[in-house]
Amino acid sequence: MDLEGAGCRARYLIRDRDGKFPRLFDEVLQDEGIEVVLSGVRMPRINSITKRWVQTCR
């Protein structure tokens, strides 16, 4: 992930609460100044909603 060359910077990372993301993952992102935002509990459709939102932004 190298956005510095593009002249922009990631400020937030929205992710689910899956166990495949260890606490160290969040700590590394915090050190880079990226805030991790967790999705709501028991939101099985969040992936489809997020994809639709991203397509709208594009």
Side-chain angles (χ1 to χ4, degrees), residues 3 8-14 29 32-37:
L3 298 175
C8 62
R9 188 165 190 276
R11 292 178 23 198
Y12 303 99
L13 174 75
I14 302 171
L29 290 171
E32 293 297 319
I34 299 172
E35 182 180 347
V36 177
V37 179

Side-chain angles (χ1 to χ4, degrees), residues 3-42:
L3 298 175
E4 291 177 10
C8 62
R9 188 165 190 276
R11 292 178 23 198
Y12 303 99
L13 174 75
I14 302 171
R15 70 169 184 85
D16 61 3
R17 299 171 184 268
D18 194 345
K20 66 183 170 191
F21 299 109
R23 183 168 297 199
L24 180 60
F25 182 79
D26 295 342
E27 291 174 8
V28 169
L29 290 171
Q30 276 186 330
D31 288 345
E32 293 297 319
I34 299 172
E35 182 180 347
V36 177
V37 179
L38 299 177
S39 64
V41 178
R42 293 187 168 256

